[in-house]
Amino acid sequence: MTFSTRIQVRFGDADPAGLVYYPNIFHYLHIGLEEFFASCCKIAYHKLMSEERLGFPTVNAKTEFFVPLVYGDELEIEVHVSSVGRSSATFEYEVKRVRDSLLCARSTQIHVCMNLDTLRAVNIPDKYRHAFELKDRSAADQRR
Amino acid sequence: MTFSTRIQVRFGDADPAGLVYYPNIFHYLHIGLEEFFASCCKIAYHKLMSEERLGFPTVNAKTEFFVPLVYGDELEIEVHVSSVGRSSATFEYEVKRVRDSLLCARSTQIHVCMNLDTLRAVNIPDKYRHAFELKDRSAADQRR
Amino acid sequence: MTFSTRIQVRFGDADPAGLVYYPNIFHYLHIGLEEFFASCCKIAYHKLMSEERLGFPTVNAKTEFFVPLVYGDELEIEVHVSSVGRSSATFEYEVKRVRDSLLCARSTQIHVCMNLDTLRAVNIPDKYRHAFELKDRSAADQRR
Amino acid sequence: MTFSTRIQVRFGDADPAGLVYYPNIFHYLHIGLEEFFASCCKIAYHKLMSEERLGFPTVNAKTEFFVPLVYGDELEIEVHVSSVGRSSATFEYEVKRVRDSLLCARSTQIHVCMNLDTLRAVNIPDKYRHAFELKDRSAADQRR
């Protein structure tokens, strides 16, 4: 089962054309990432930062926007890890509209595990690697 | 002469009603504050933070919005200090539309000088107090 | 009983000093307003805009920030109406930290009922005036 | 010659890790797009929207982040069109740090020409197609 979390599109997220300003969709994806860590990795992202001095910034993002999001939409952000390397992992994000499950946007992102003091890539700690792979496996299972 | 800086209202700043989402107006005021430090206090705000470990967060803001700002407006943000205490100072912000000099918003804010390591109020260093008062005096002169 | 809604401080809401960038606190208050309309006025704010062509922009905001908010905080946004005029109403917002109920910020805002086509103030429709006053009364009751 | 515009990283753009929150980098790219229209297509983007009822939302974005941006950086956003179709065009964005011309991020985006009333794709008007191609050619010339 892929992890998912819900987000309400807010007034301030939409632009004068009435559509969600696309940088804000990346903000939604980051909220998905934060919730993924809390739920699947059993650590609040802010504690990951303050206590372990780790972050997972995006170094590569391939994103498709299929359907404009509008103010009032409720969204489901689905997150799973599709591959894990030594110091980076590939996260798959899908944004679905709750009322009809329509896939509105999809993003494949490579996140690097970064030490926040040195700002250099470091090995992904085993506990997170394990949590990432578990998610990966369950997502793969679900698709069979 | 009061310090001023110009800002262009951007697409992403306006809301579905076509008006600048009011939290973004406070973002403009903070840009005004940053430019005030660079110009009048001779220090980039980011260096104030990194080198002197000081910040000037807002603890009180009285704000009036007279005229809605819209996407496409160019704005003049005027900043001056109206009073200086031991560890806090009162900043006056005015937002004017460039094409007709119309006063669109005004904010009076108390900023506290805060040590970023302890998150506690500290005395305003004399060099900044002096710069604040200079601005204050010149602004007062201008009004006579 | 005053209306309240919960908000999670997100990574992107906090600034390099580790504190919530204060314009984002006004974004939280607007989310509180949106939820107030949904819950107390029985209309989603986006439908108020699209179907009734009404909005409630802020024309005056007096705000105090008592305690810095940090990434990881969960917040309770409390909203009630303290007075209602012909075309404007005064909303009281309180921001409390959930873990210890500490009052972190308070804002008193005058919102004007605006027709979104003419961008002019109009009378507050009776149904909303009634809902505002109900909230007001119950909040007052609670304090006795 | 590719079009370029400068942007100052602001306090509110950076996150608790001290780096620019990546959704804000997309905001910078959109500012680059707005300035591209003003300069190369001779129309302010807000007039394109209000007078011609056209917008150019992103439907596909491939983005690489090479170097973290930090508060205090000044950026050069370079924009050119690499290909033009019937109703869409591919824009190339590069984000360079001004002080050392270091390439920090790059994004290839497909923008669709959309009628803002119907929210449907329409043919790119010839005047803009021509302006896009001119930019394309000059950029290609420059690389030889």
Side-chain angles (χ1 to χ4, degrees):
Chain A
M1 198 191 62
T2 289
F3 170 77
S4 79
T5 190
R6 289 196 173 190
I7 285 178
Q8 201 72 36
V9 171
R10 296 297 177 180
F11 180 66
D13 299 341
D15 61 32
L19 314 178
V20 174
Y21 185 52
Y22 88 95
N24 292 332
I25 298 175
F26 290 101
H27 178 55
Y28 298 162
L29 300 186
H30 201 280
I31 292 174
L33 178 72
E34 295 170 49
E35 292 295 323
F36 173 90
F37 268 90
S39 171
C40 304
C41 303
K42 311 297 180 209
I43 187 166
Y45 199 80
H46 67 97
K47 287 193 175 164
L48 183 75
M49 292 176 60
S50 59
E51 294 173 7
E52 311 199 2
R53 300 300 295 150
L54 294 179
F56 281 84
T58 296
V59 295
N60 189 300
K62 291 196 173 70
T63 312
E64 292 167 285
F65 303 95
F66 305 113
V67 178
L69 306 174
V70 300
Y71 176 39
D73 280 349
E74 189 182 12
L75 306 174
E76 187 104 27
I77 312 290
E78 293 185 1
V79 185
H80 78 270
V81 179
S82 58
S83 77
V84 189
R86 203 173 52 82
S87 62
S88 69
T90 304
F91 280 68
E92 310 285 344
Y93 299 90
E94 294 196 343
V95 180
K96 290 177 178 160
R97 202 160 61 186
V98 167
R99 68 176 153 89
D100 57 6
S101 298
L102 190 67
L103 180 65
C104 297
R106 179 160 47 199
S107 188
T108 298
Q109 300 198 4
I110 302 173
H111 293 272
V112 164
C113 184
M114 190 177 79
N115 178 294
L116 295 179
D117 295 314
T118 63
L119 297 188
R120 303 190 82 114
V122 292
N123 284 358
I124 298 172
D126 281 346
K127 56 186 169 183
Y128 301 131
R129 171 186 308 279
H130 188 66
F132 291 176
E133 286 170 345
L134 273 179
K135 293 311 298 178
D136 185 23
R137 196 151 44 240
S138 59
D141 288 350
Q142 191 192 28
R143 284 205 207 85
R144 267 175 225 157
Chain B
M1 200 193 61
T2 289
F3 170 75
S4 78
T5 189
R6 290 197 174 188
I7 285 178
Q8 201 71 38
V9 172
R10 296 299 178 178
F11 179 66
D13 299 341
D15 62 33
L19 314 178
V20 174
Y21 184 51
Y22 88 95
N24 292 332
I25 297 176
F26 290 101
H27 178 55
Y28 297 162
L29 300 186
H30 201 280
I31 292 174
L33 178 72
E34 295 170 49
E35 293 295 323
F36 173 90
F37 268 91
S39 171
C40 303
C41 303
K42 310 296 179 210
I43 186 165
Y45 198 79
H46 68 97
K47 287 192 175 165
L48 183 75
M49 290 176 61
S50 60
E51 294 173 7
E52 311 199 2
R53 300 300 296 149
L54 294 178
F56 281 84
T58 296
V59 295
N60 190 299
K62 290 196 173 73
T63 313
E64 293 167 285
F65 303 96
F66 305 113
V67 178
L69 305 174
V70 300
Y71 177 39
D73 280 348
E74 190 183 11
L75 306 175
E76 188 104 27
I77 313 289
E78 293 185 1
V79 185
H80 77 273
V81 179
S82 58
S83 77
V84 190
R86 202 173 53 82
S87 62
S88 70
T90 303
F91 280 68
E92 311 285 344
Y93 299 90
E94 295 196 341
V95 180
K96 290 178 177 161
R97 203 160 62 186
V98 166
R99 68 177 153 89
D100 57 6
S101 298
L102 190 66
L103 179 66
C104 297
R106 178 161 47 197
S107 189
T108 298
Q109 300 198 3
I110 302 172
H111 292 273
V112 164
C113 184
M114 190 177 78
N115 178 295
L116 295 179
D117 296 314
T118 62
L119 298 187
R120 303 191 82 114
V122 292
N123 284 359
I124 298 172
D126 280 347
K127 57 187 168 183
Y128 301 132
R129 172 187 309 278
H130 188 65
F132 291 176
E133 285 169 344
L134 274 179
K135 293 310 299 178
D136 184 24
R137 195 152 45 239
S138 60
D141 287 351
Q142 192 192 27
R143 285 204 207 88
R144 267 174 223 159
Chain C
M1 197 192 64
T2 289
F3 170 77
S4 78
T5 190
R6 291 198 173 187
I7 284 178
Q8 201 71 37
V9 171
R10 296 298 178 179
F11 180 66
D13 299 341
D15 60 34
L19 314 179
V20 174
Y21 185 52
Y22 88 96
N24 292 332
I25 297 176
F26 290 101
H27 178 55
Y28 297 162
L29 300 186
H30 201 280
I31 291 175
L33 178 73
E34 295 170 50
E35 292 295 323
F36 173 90
F37 268 90
S39 170
C40 303
C41 303
K42 310 297 178 209
I43 187 165
Y45 198 80
H46 67 97
K47 287 193 176 164
L48 183 76
M49 291 176 61
S50 59
E51 293 173 8
E52 310 200 1
R53 300 301 294 149
L54 293 178
F56 281 84
T58 296
V59 296
N60 190 299
K62 291 196 173 70
T63 312
E64 291 167 285
F65 303 96
F66 305 112
V67 178
L69 306 174
V70 300
Y71 177 39
D73 280 348
E74 189 182 12
L75 307 174
E76 187 104 28
I77 313 289
E78 293 185 0
V79 186
H80 78 271
V81 179
S82 57
S83 76
V84 190
R86 203 173 52 81
S87 62
S88 69
T90 303
F91 280 69
E92 311 286 346
Y93 299 90
E94 294 197 342
V95 180
K96 290 178 178 162
R97 203 161 60 187
V98 167
R99 68 177 153 89
D100 57 5
S101 297
L102 190 67
L103 180 65
C104 297
R106 178 161 46 199
S107 188
T108 298
Q109 300 198 4
I110 301 172
H111 292 273
V112 164
C113 184
M114 190 177 79
N115 178 295
L116 295 179
D117 296 313
T118 63
L119 297 187
R120 302 190 83 113
V122 293
N123 285 357
I124 298 172
D126 281 346
K127 57 186 169 184
Y128 301 131
R129 172 186 308 278
H130 189 66
F132 291 176
E133 286 169 344
L134 273 178
K135 294 310 298 177
D136 184 22
R137 197 151 44 238
S138 59
D141 287 351
Q142 193 192 25
R143 285 206 206 84
R144 268 175 224 158
Chain D
M1 200 191 63
T2 289
F3 170 77
S4 78
T5 189
R6 290 197 174 188
I7 285 179
Q8 201 72 37
V9 172
R10 296 298 178 178
F11 179 66
D13 299 342
D15 61 35
L19 314 178
V20 174
Y21 185 51
Y22 88 96
N24 292 332
I25 298 176
F26 290 101
H27 178 55
Y28 298 162
L29 301 185
H30 201 280
I31 292 174
L33 179 72
E34 295 170 50
E35 292 295 323
F36 173 89
F37 268 91
S39 170
C40 304
C41 302
K42 310 297 179 208
I43 186 165
Y45 199 79
H46 68 97
K47 288 193 175 164
L48 183 75
M49 290 177 61
S50 59
E51 294 174 6
E52 311 199 3
R53 300 301 294 151
L54 293 178
F56 281 84
T58 296
V59 296
N60 191 298
K62 291 197 173 70
T63 313
E64 291 167 287
F65 303 95
F66 305 113
V67 178
L69 306 174
V70 300
Y71 177 39
D73 280 348
E74 189 182 13
L75 307 175
E76 187 103 28
I77 313 289
E78 293 185 0
V79 186
H80 78 272
V81 179
S82 58
S83 77
V84 189
R86 203 173 51 82
S87 62
S88 69
T90 303
F91 280 68
E92 311 285 345
Y93 300 90
E94 295 196 342
V95 180
K96 291 177 178 161
R97 201 159 62 185
V98 167
R99 66 178 155 90
D100 56 6
S101 298
L102 189 67
L103 179 65
C104 298
R106 177 162 48 199
S107 189
T108 299
Q109 300 199 3
I110 302 173
H111 292 273
V112 164
C113 185
M114 191 178 77
N115 178 296
L116 295 179
D117 295 313
T118 63
L119 297 187
R120 303 190 82 114
V122 292
N123 285 358
I124 298 172
D126 280 347
K127 56 186 169 185
Y128 301 131
R129 171 187 310 279
H130 188 66
F132 291 175
E133 286 169 345
L134 273 178
K135 293 311 298 179
D136 184 24
R137 194 150 46 238
S138 59
D141 286 351
Q142 192 192 27
R143 284 205 207 85
R144 267 175 224 156

